[in-house]
Amino acid sequence: MPVQGTPVCALAMAILSLMFLSVAIWNGFPLIFYDTGAYVLEGLGHVFLVERAPVYAEFLFLTGARFSLWPAVVLQALMTSTVILQVARAEVPGLTLRGLVAIGAVLNLFTGVAWYAGQVEPDIFTPIVILGTWLLLFRSGRLGKGGRAWVTGLTGLAVACHPSHLGLLGGLLICALLLKLVTRLPQPDLKRGAIVLATSLSLILAGNFVLTGKLFLSKSGSVFLFARLMQDGIVQRLMNDTCPPAGTQNWRLCAFKNRLPKSANAWLWGEGSGFRALGGFTSPAQQEEDSRIILETLKRYPVMHVRAAVTDSLTQFLQFKTGDGIEPQLSIQERPFRRVIPQQIPAYREARQQRGLIRFKTLNLIHVPAGAMSLLGLLLLLQRAAIRRAWNEASLPALVLLGLIGNAIICGTFSNPHDRYQSRIVWLPSLVLLLAVTRDRRALQPVPESGT
């Protein structure tokens, strides 16, 4: 049965969504990350938190998170299923329902997609940014008017849900612009890309305005970058070189010169951290000093900056274990949950996650090799397409590879490497490979030499 027509497409989306919700259903409650409480508090308590994107918090509010967190993850699973369906139909003409369900089952078993679709966190929107951008740049003509509008809105929402997504979209659009300017390869539809960018910027500005009455994009960028520079030892070197008695610069941070942590997380979230003592995320004076310190280190230690950024980006690219932060968090989440969703606390406490019953060691014996092999397969697809000059087929694997690289650079450089940042999108190469093999079973075979 081909995946065509509203009834079959609806059935396909329902089946895929149930697959992607299977982990949360098994857990007994939507999966929770350390940031979840802040998003819930911001969205339901209408309290602006500098460190969290208001758009995702408002997404939780609009999906009725005050009464249940389930509608939010159900909608996330549906959105993920929708964009996969659109990509699959564009890449594999005549794709059957059985074929699509098989692809979804393999993704569910061998990748971490279900661990993010069923998690109350904006991480599942990162792959939607990449897939949605590809659809609009290279397959907009196959979507139809209604499809284009839907994918544009969904991708714009996905971008707006996290600050790193804006940089990711910007990087992909720059690459598309270069492709258009310097090559004769299939030309991307930059108009659609510009519309997505405008949509996401509007949502971000509106989200911030709703909670603060002010228009701005972000107020936390310097804070996270500063924490990464501290982890890499760059801030410590500046303090040693400029704080009295060795220097004459009286940074507020000089008072903590001899007890700066070696971890970005310890600086941002640790008990007794100097960051909290200096005012934390709510201190404009500290954010202003963070920015000045960042600029000063760039002037003084440019080579050290480049070396650290490259190392962190490479580390992030290769770091993608499933399960980062999915552990019992009662002590972290109880307070915000009790404030805004007290009726959900009993179910939250009874979940396997909060009872410490989830183990990822065995799971990652499957997910990590699958991710690594999929990355290699992605390179083989690109090599085969280049040899055959099948540039149209190369667009999806190329854009996914650029998305993986861009995500690693943004997260590794402007935050610091964590498995979850890359794990949330490392299932995309697996999807691309499955679609390529479904379209052509010889997709990963070497191309015969001419004349043979």
Side-chain angles (χ1 to χ4, degrees):
M1 182 189 301
V3 186
Q4 297 176 356
T6 301
V8 178
C9 288
L11 178 60
M13 288 170 55
I15 294 172
L16 289 180
S17 297
L18 281 173
M19 287 181 180
F20 297 154
L21 288 168
S22 59
V23 170
I25 293 170
W26 168 80
N27 181 53
F29 195 78
L31 296 161
I32 302 300
F33 187 69
Y34 286 103
D35 300 343
T36 301
Y39 283 115
V40 169
L41 181 60
E42 186 174 47
L44 307 185
H46 305 293
V47 178
F48 177 69
L49 300 175
V50 174
E51 67 273 25
R52 298 292 161 240
V55 173
Y56 185 73
E58 288 155 6
F59 168 79
L60 295 180
F61 171 75
L62 292 173
T63 55
R66 184 176 299 279
F67 307 101
S68 174
L69 291 174
W70 280 107
V73 296
V74 168
L75 191 54
Q76 288 176 182
L78 281 169
M79 290 174 172
T80 306
S81 301
T82 299
V83 75
I84 288 176
L85 173 63
Q86 293 290 354
V87 170
R89 292 178 63 190
E91 277 294 270
V92 188
L95 178 68
T96 64
L97 179 61
R98 179 182 296 180
L100 182 63
V101 169
I103 290 171
V106 173
L107 289 177
N108 223 46
L109 290 172
F110 292 94
T111 78
V113 59
W115 293 90
Y116 293 100
Q119 187 176 155
V120 185
E121 186 74 9
D123 286 344
I124 191 58
F125 287 101
T126 314
I128 292 177
V129 171
I130 296 172
L131 295 178
T133 300
W134 173 78
L135 281 168
L136 293 169
L137 289 178
F138 295 101
R139 297 292 187 272
S140 62
R142 298 186 185 180
L143 294 175
K145 187 174 181 180
R148 282 194 297 271
W150 167 246
V151 174
T152 298
L154 177 56
T155 308
L157 172 64
V159 173
C161 280
H162 197 274
S164 67
H165 297 171
L166 191 59
L168 180 59
L169 174 65
L172 293 176
L173 292 182
I174 289 171
C175 291
L177 177 61
L178 292 174
L179 177 68
K180 192 176 185 73
L181 292 177
V182 303
T183 74
R184 295 182 179 179
L185 301 181
Q187 297 294 289
D189 188 346
L190 291 176
K191 177 183 176 182
R192 299 295 169 189
I195 293 173
V196 170
L197 181 60
T199 301
S200 60
L201 288 173
S202 299
L203 287 172
I204 293 170
L205 292 172
N208 288 328
F209 185 80
V210 166
L211 290 182
T212 68
K214 299 178 182 178
L215 294 173
F216 60 90
L217 290 178
S218 175
K219 293 188 175 182
S220 63
S222 63
V223 175
F224 290 103
L225 176 56
F226 180 88
R228 198 271 295 173
L229 297 182
M230 179 172 290
Q231 180 169 291
D232 287 332
I234 297 175
V235 171
Q236 183 69 69
R237 179 171 176 180
L238 182 69
M239 294 299 103
N240 292 340
D241 291 347
T242 62
C243 288
T248 58
Q249 179 68 54
N250 287 314
W251 308 103
R252 298 171 74 224
L253 193 62
C254 286
F256 299 88
K257 168 187 169 183
N258 297 321
R259 46 196 176 101
L260 295 179
K262 309 230 179 249
S263 161
N265 285 343
W267 172 251
L268 292 172
W269 318 112
E271 293 292 335
S273 163
F275 178 64
R276 293 190 179 190
L278 292 168
F281 286 102
T282 60
S283 172
Q286 184 55 35
Q287 291 175 34
E288 191 272 336
E289 180 172 283
D290 286 352
S291 298
R292 289 193 293 115
I293 287 176
I294 291 169
L295 291 174
E296 188 65 24
T297 59
L298 282 167
K299 293 177 185 176
R300 288 174 176 261
Y301 322 119
V303 175
M304 193 175 183
H305 266 278
V306 172
R307 187 187 304 121
V310 170
T311 300
D312 289 333
S313 298
L314 287 172
T315 300
Q316 182 61 80
F317 187 83
L318 299 172
Q319 193 169 313
F320 47 79
K321 290 181 181 178
T322 300
D324 182 14
I326 303 178
E327 54 199 14
Q329 299 163 0
L330 288 169
S331 61
I332 303 295
Q333 308 294 359
E334 187 95 2
R335 186 175 177 182
F337 281 12
R338 188 169 295 282
R339 177 174 171 180
V340 290
I341 53 171
Q343 73 279 10
Q344 299 185 56
I345 289 179
Y348 161 71
R349 286 177 175 170
E350 287 301 311
R352 282 182 166 86
Q353 177 187 357
Q354 306 312 324
R355 289 187 287 145
L357 300 179
I358 301 179
R359 300 287 184 271
F360 289 98
K361 186 174 181 179
T362 302
L363 192 66
N364 279 313
L365 292 176
I366 300 171
H367 286 189
V368 173
M373 288 188 291
S374 294
L375 284 170
L376 292 175
L378 199 67
L379 296 176
L380 288 175
L381 282 181
L382 286 169
Q383 180 192 40
R384 180 181 172 87
I387 292 173
R388 296 171 55 227
R389 297 186 177 277
W391 307 121
N392 203 44
E393 293 180 9
S395 64
L396 179 58
L399 191 131
V400 165
L401 181 59
L402 287 172
L404 289 163
I405 294 171
N407 183 72
I409 292 172
I410 291 168
C411 296
T413 300
F414 294 97
S415 183
N416 63 94
H418 285 285
D419 279 288
R420 76 181 181 93
Y421 290 146
Q422 205 71 355
S423 173
R424 63 191 180 182
I425 60 171
V426 79
W427 60 269
L428 290 178
S430 299
L431 172 63
V432 175
L433 288 177
L434 290 167
L435 292 174
V437 172
T438 301
R439 183 183 63 233
D440 179 4
R441 296 186 183 278
R442 300 168 299 171
L444 295 177
Q445 294 179 4
V447 178
E449 295 182 7
S450 302
T452 63

